[in-house]
């Protein structure tokens, strides 16, 4: 898988190294690591109690307004979550976010996993936005 960084109880530092290697210029904000991809903010939220759990998010990328039917928004969220493989959309108050949360084994290629998470999150966001325009 490309000779990337192995997980081996990955930690925030290893994920930051991968993000830097991918040219994404990560920066820390409290306990989270932020970076931009395709002009969208992403968050990596490390869990020091579970080093095999990897969680990357696109937070609050869509705001539900008075013109949106919340039930229709949730139907689109469900359809996108069902179609995409490891990502899921979440409704937090009036904002839609997308998450990629998975467990990675010690022998996994962390670089490949992080890269695929980022691309899949981007594709999920684009699919949701496209579906919402069609309503």
């Amino acid at each position: 898988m490309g000779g990337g960084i192995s997980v081996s109880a990955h930690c925030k530092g290893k994920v930051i190294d991968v993000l830097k290697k991918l040219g994404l210029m990560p920066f820390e904000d409290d306990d989270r690591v932020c970076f931009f991809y395709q002009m969208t903010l992403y968050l990596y939220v490390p869990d020091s109690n579970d080093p095999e759990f990897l969680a990357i998010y696109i937070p609050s990328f869509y705001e539900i307004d008075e013109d949106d039917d919340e039930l229709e928004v949730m139907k689109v969220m469900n359809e996108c979550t069902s179609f995409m493989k490891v990502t899921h959309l979440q409704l937090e108050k009036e904002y839609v976010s997308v998450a990629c949360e998975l467990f990675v084994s010690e022998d996994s290629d962390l670089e490949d996993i992080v890269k695929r998470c980022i691309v899949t999150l981007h594709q999920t966001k684009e699919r949701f936005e496209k579906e919402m325009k069609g309503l």
Side-chain angles (χ1 to χ4, degrees), residues 28-43:
E28 293 186 54
D29 179 29
D30 294 325
D31 292 332
R32 306 171 303 179
V33 176
C34 307
F35 61 96
F36 285 89
Y37 174 74
Q38 297 293 323
M39 298 180 1
T40 299
L41 176 68
Y42 286 67
L43 300 176

Side-chain angles (χ1 to χ4, degrees), residues 85-103:
K85 294 189 173 151
V86 299
T87 57
H88 57 276
L89 292 149
Q90 304 168 332
L91 185 58
E92 302 161 11
K93 297 183 183 177
E94 68 272 2
Y95 295 98
V96 176
S97 298
V98 62
C100 183
E101 301 169 321
L102 51 119
F103 292 101

Side-chain angles (χ1 to χ4, degrees), residues 6 8 17 26 36 38 44 51 56 59 61 64 86 90 102 112 120 123 127 129 133:
S6 117
S8 63
D17 289 346
F36 285 89
Q38 297 293 323
Y44 159 60
I56 302 176
F61 71 87
I64 298 173
V86 299
Q90 304 168 332
L102 51 119
D112 185 57
T120 304
Q123 291 170 341
R127 182 178 185 88
E129 291 171 335
K133 286 180 185 175

Side-chain angles (χ1 to χ4, degrees), residues 68-86:
D68 289 321
D69 177 351
E70 191 170 325
L71 182 57
E72 287 299 319
V73 172
M74 292 187 331
K75 285 180 181 178
V76 171
M77 290 171 59
N78 190 45
E79 289 170 10
C80 288
T81 295
S82 294
F83 183 80
M84 301 306 290
K85 294 189 173 151
V86 299

Side-chain angles (χ1 to χ4, degrees), residues 6-36:
S6 117
V7 175
S8 63
H10 77 272
C11 61
K12 182 165 69 172
K14 288 185 179 185
V15 173
I16 289 172
D17 289 346
V18 167
L19 294 171
K20 286 178 181 177
K21 186 173 181 180
L22 296 173
L24 297 174
M25 300 185 298
F27 58 95
E28 293 186 54
D29 179 29
D30 294 325
D31 292 332
R32 306 171 303 179
V33 176
C34 307
F35 61 96
F36 285 89

